[in-house]
Amino acid sequence: MPGRVHSYETMGALDGPGLRLVVFLQGCPLRCRYCHNPDTWTADGGKDTDVAEIVRRLLRLQPYFGRRGGLTLSGGEPLRQPEFCGELLRECRRLGVHSALDTGGGVWDEACREVIDLADLVILDIKAADRAAWQALTGRNAFAALTGMLAHLRRTSHPVWIRQVVAEGLNDRPEDMLKMLGLVRDLRLERLELLPYHDLARGKWERLGLPYAADDLKPPRPETLAKLRKVIADNRGDADATTTTPDAGTTE
Ligand code: SF4
């Protein structure tokens, strides 16, 4: 069955190990205030695309993947299209290509579970560590989806990268990091990234006629980020707490 694809990034270097084909899927149930891709929200945008079309792209790029690179399914929320994602991830297994699923954790059911189990790596944007903050940031009452997903990842010891956007005045205190560490405790955590908030998506919101919802947020100061990294390192000896500046990426 075809999936609804928003865009692609070829040779993406941020969304998983090595160089990757990143497929941004259309549709997302969340409305994160700082969303970079509000144009992926509606289910009817993007373009109908067959699995075979993505496999063709994958095969063209496979020589550049090396041992670590591969396919990343992102969005939007890829788990909104579980059957399509499942088919793509099975193709990755057949071809021996590493696969990653980049999710906001806003949907969770049996179909999502099957998709996650097929991905070699789950990249989870944690957003906020408690129900009230998560709901305020995402505009949705779906924190139980995130905790359901985390429980499954814990049970299956699935490799996970955690991402946390950090903004001044939102979640830039040491206690915010400790709360986040509590939420991701006992995961098979391969990487934990703090992503400094920025407002590069403001223009996209305006072009869509949407009032930018993160006007009150500011990028964290570099010294604050350094302090938060230290809090993480002190409380998780084995964590690879890196901070990266999100790249808008080259989508086509
Ligand atoms: S989950 Fe991602 S795509 Fe969806 S609203 Fe949040 S930031 Fe945007």
Side-chain angles (χ1 to χ4, degrees), residues 233-252:
D234 287 349
N235 288 276
R236 265 197 62 96
D238 57 335
D240 174 12
T242 57
T243 60
T244 58
T245 303
D247 187 314
T250 48
T251 57
E252 58 181 72

Side-chain angles (χ1 to χ4, degrees), residues 138-211:
T138 64
R140 295 293 183 264
N141 179 9
F143 190 67
L146 173 67
T147 54
M149 186 183 294
L150 285 168
H152 181 70
L153 293 170
R154 215 170 265 128
R155 217 170 21 247
T156 55
S157 203
H158 207 99
V160 182
W161 287 14
I162 291 291
R163 289 182 163 166
Q164 168 78 84
V165 173
V166 177
E168 187 178 308
L170 179 73
N171 56 359
D172 63 341
R173 301 166 307 168
E175 50 267 44
D176 295 316
M177 293 301 107
L178 293 176
K179 236 192 222 177
M180 185 264 291
L181 286 178
L183 193 66
V184 304
R185 195 183 50 230
D186 297 333
L187 290 177
R188 185 168 156 199
L189 198 52
E190 293 193 343
R191 198 173 166 100
L192 197 160
E193 295 181 332
L194 300 183
L195 308 180
Y197 161 77
H198 63 71
D199 71 350
L200 293 178
R202 180 188 293 273
K204 255 193 205 177
W205 284 66
E206 286 167 2
R207 280 195 295 283
L208 291 168
L210 299 167

Side-chain angles (χ1 to χ4, degrees), residues 118-129:
L118 286 167
D120 294 317
L121 172 70
V122 172
I123 303 172
L124 174 57
D125 181 353
I126 209 82
K127 308 208 181 286

Side-chain angles (χ1 to χ4, degrees), residues 28 30-32 34-37 40-41 75-77 104 125 127:
C28 183
L30 304 186
R31 294 293 178 266
C32 301
Y34 50 57
C35 181
H36 287 178
N37 300 317
T40 64
W41 286 351
E77 173 51 69
D125 181 353
K127 308 208 181 286

Side-chain angles (χ1 to χ4, degrees), residues 9-22 250:
E9 182 181 3
T10 50
M11 302 301 197
L14 295 175
D15 297 318
L19 293 176
R20 315 187 68 82
L21 171 64
V22 185
T250 48

Side-chain angles (χ1 to χ4, degrees), residues 8-24 54 57-58 60-74 89 92 96-102 118-123 161 163 190 249-250 252:
Y8 302 89
E9 182 181 3
T10 50
M11 302 301 197
L14 295 175
D15 297 318
L19 293 176
R20 315 187 68 82
L21 171 64
V22 185
V23 182
F24 296 92
I54 294 174
R57 287 173 181 262
L58 206 51
R60 274 204 302 274
L61 293 171
Q62 198 172 13
Y64 304 99
F65 290 157
R67 281 191 304 112
R68 303 171 68 229
L71 175 77
T72 297
L73 300 178
S74 184
L89 295 174
C92 284
V97 169
H98 182 272
S99 64
L101 182 94
D102 183 359
L118 286 167
D120 294 317
L121 172 70
V122 172
I123 303 172
W161 287 14
R163 289 182 163 166
E190 293 193 343
T250 48
E252 58 181 72

